[in-house]
Amino acid sequence: MPKTVVVAMSGGVDSSVTAYLLKTRTSYRVVGLFMKNWDEENSEEGCNAANDYRDVADVCDALNIPHYTVSFSREYKDRVFSQFLEGYSRGITPNPDVLCNREIKFDLLLKKAMGLSADFLATGHYCQLVRREGKVLLARGKDRRKDQSYFLSGTPEAALHKVLFPIGAMEKSEVREIAERAGLPTASKKDSTGICFIGKRDFRSFLGGYIQDKPGEIVDIDSGKVLGVHRGLHYYTFGQRRGIDIGGRESPLYVAGKDVEKNILYVTEGEDSPFLYRKELTAKNPNWFLLPNSNHFVCTAKIRYRSEDEKCEVHLENGGLRVIFDKPVKAVTPGQTIAMYEGDICLGGATIDVAMIPPGIL
């Protein structure tokens, strides 16, 4: 009997090509599975699950493979959205994509696939897997501009033994070409961007619907002067420029820090201000794919999806991490993920807890 692979179908070109490759280039029995994570009456501005499902159905019909739908809306709100809101209410900036991969796709969805007697779950992530001494390790995708290993850095290592990333060794342009040659209905569909449950809506308006405004002082971190009033610390993230709404300066103002207890938003002038840079951070809840043998090691790290790799020293301390960068890094943001690498291998990830502030600044 051929092995069965369940493909997580989103209605996009990447998962469509994933299903196509497995159907046409392997001996696997392929099944499509559409995952619904968000229930909302007005889908015009937020998630549009109905349209995405129609695209999934069209692709699966074209490939002559069965397809099913599963809803994790309740679980998503409990395990992802609630953490998202709780983090913003505490003044930090959580990453819902990392949470979704860890809590939903590579936990609940993987279990659902196994419940359908599947041998593997396949997704359209731009990642690769490397087998080494009985371990399955996460590696960057070939297309560095689309590499998604950062978003999977919190995924349990055990899950990697049951997943496949068929397009991880491809460039995005190649994926598009395959879709066009195969005549897939999603070949020209635009990539989805942003946070699904927010969609096209203004982020502030969306967040304000869940977290009550709590105005406080905006303070110039350079001079200590009060410049104005903010609506609530949850609307601002470290390094942010837009939304501060204070004019009359030679250079734009940027968010340089928060004092949640005193409800103060600190800002600094100019994108090169030293107050925007940190050389050290602590992180908690580490997830390891390949844990080095030493409590102190050297690697590279990314502090957000689009950031460059930064050389650093990592110290394992009290179940968490202390990371010291070779040079100051801009906009290190509590709540976001730090992903660590040895070459193209992702060693693991953790949640940034504190970006160390030089003595005497605050």
Side-chain angles (χ1 to χ4, degrees):
M1 290 290 292
K3 291 186 175 182
T4 298
V5 57
V6 166
V7 180
M9 304 285 287
S10 66
V13 66
D14 295 330
S15 61
S16 299
V17 171
T18 294
Y20 170 79
L21 293 174
L22 290 167
K23 171 69 175 179
T24 60
R25 300 185 185 182
T26 75
S27 60
Y28 290 124
R29 174 179 174 266
V30 182
V31 177
L33 186 59
F34 177 73
M35 178 177 66
K36 185 178 180 182
N37 288 336
W38 191 256
D39 283 324
E40 189 168 33
E41 293 183 3
N42 180 12
S43 62
E44 292 300 318
E45 295 181 325
C47 292
N48 202 326
N51 287 345
D52 288 337
Y53 176 71
R54 282 193 289 271
D55 289 334
V56 168
D58 289 344
V59 170
C60 290
D61 289 345
L63 297 177
N64 193 29
I65 62 174
H67 59 275
Y68 304 94
T69 299
V70 60
S71 176
F72 293 127
S73 298
R74 178 177 58 82
E75 294 87 347
Y76 187 91
K77 287 186 177 180
D78 289 343
R79 297 170 62 171
V80 177
F81 188 61
S82 63
Q83 290 192 53
F84 172 86
L85 291 180
E86 191 271 339
Y88 270 95
S89 67
R90 290 193 293 113
I92 66 172
T93 308
N95 192 311
D97 292 316
V98 175
L99 287 172
C100 181
N101 283 321
R102 185 185 74 203
E103 300 290 335
I104 308 297
K105 291 180 183 176
F106 296 101
D107 183 13
L108 298 180
L109 184 64
L110 179 60
K111 290 174 181 175
K112 181 66 175 180
M114 297 301 106
L116 294 173
S117 300
D119 297 280
F120 297 101
L121 171 70
T123 74
H125 285 99
Y126 286 85
C127 301
Q128 300 185 77
L129 298 175
V130 175
R131 299 186 181 276
R132 182 188 295 178
E133 300 177 355
K135 282 184 169 288
V136 180
L137 304 178
L138 181 68
R140 303 181 208 254
K142 178 182 177 181
D143 191 331
R144 290 299 184 93
R145 295 169 299 178
K146 290 292 183 178
D147 168 52
Q148 293 171 302
S149 60
Y150 174 86
F151 292 124
L152 271 68
S153 62
T155 301
E157 187 268 339
L160 298 184
H161 293 262
K162 290 291 185 179
V163 301
L164 301 173
F165 301 126
I167 65 172
M170 297 180 177
E171 300 282 345
K172 179 73 179 194
S173 57
E174 185 180 357
V175 171
R176 286 283 185 191
E177 289 172 5
I178 290 173
E180 291 172 1
R181 289 200 305 268
L184 297 179
T186 55
S188 60
K189 187 174 181 179
K190 292 182 179 180
D191 292 341
S192 59
T193 58
I195 302 172
C196 172
F197 53 76
I198 295 177
K200 299 177 182 179
R201 288 172 290 204
D202 174 72
F203 180 77
R204 283 191 170 194
S205 298
F206 177 84
L207 205 58
Y210 293 91
I211 303 175
Q212 186 175 0
D213 288 3
K214 186 180 178 181
E217 294 179 342
I218 300 176
V219 175
D220 186 336
I221 199 171
D222 301 88
S223 66
K225 294 181 179 179
V226 176
L227 303 180
V229 177
H230 65 76
R231 290 174 51 189
L233 293 181
H234 53 282
Y235 291 120
Y236 307 90
T237 190
F238 193 39
Q240 178 178 326
R241 172 185 171 182
R242 296 184 179 180
I244 298 175
D245 300 329
I246 294 176
R249 315 285 293 200
E250 291 185 6
S251 300
L253 292 173
Y254 293 81
V255 174
K258 302 177 184 180
D259 187 325
V260 177
E261 186 175 334
K262 296 180 180 179
N263 196 27
I264 296 174
L265 180 72
Y266 289 97
V267 297
T268 187
E269 189 169 340
E271 61 179 343
D272 296 322
S273 168
F275 293 102
L276 296 177
Y277 291 80
R278 300 289 186 266
K279 201 168 187 294
E280 186 174 343
L281 63 82
T282 60
K284 60 185 180 180
N285 302 325
N287 174 73
W288 297 106
F289 302 116
L290 182 62
L291 179 61
N293 295 325
S294 172
N295 286 335
H296 164 227
F297 59 92
V298 176
C299 66
T300 64
K302 293 168 70 76
I303 61 162
R304 56 187 172 275
Y305 174 47
R306 293 294 186 186
S307 68
E308 297 293 329
D309 277 41
E310 302 287 348
K311 293 182 180 180
C312 61
E313 295 180 6
V314 177
H315 299 260
L316 308 185
E317 297 180 351
N318 302 318
L321 312 175
R322 182 165 62 94
V323 181
I324 304 171
F325 296 101
D326 282 11
K327 59 182 181 180
V329 177
K330 190 174 184 179
V332 180
T333 306
Q336 286 289 297
T337 291
I338 178 170
M340 293 153 285
Y341 294 86
E342 184 180 84
D344 283 342
I345 300 295
C346 181
L347 301 175
T351 303
I352 298 172
D353 188 23
V354 177
M356 300 300 192
I357 301 172
I361 289 184
L362 298 182

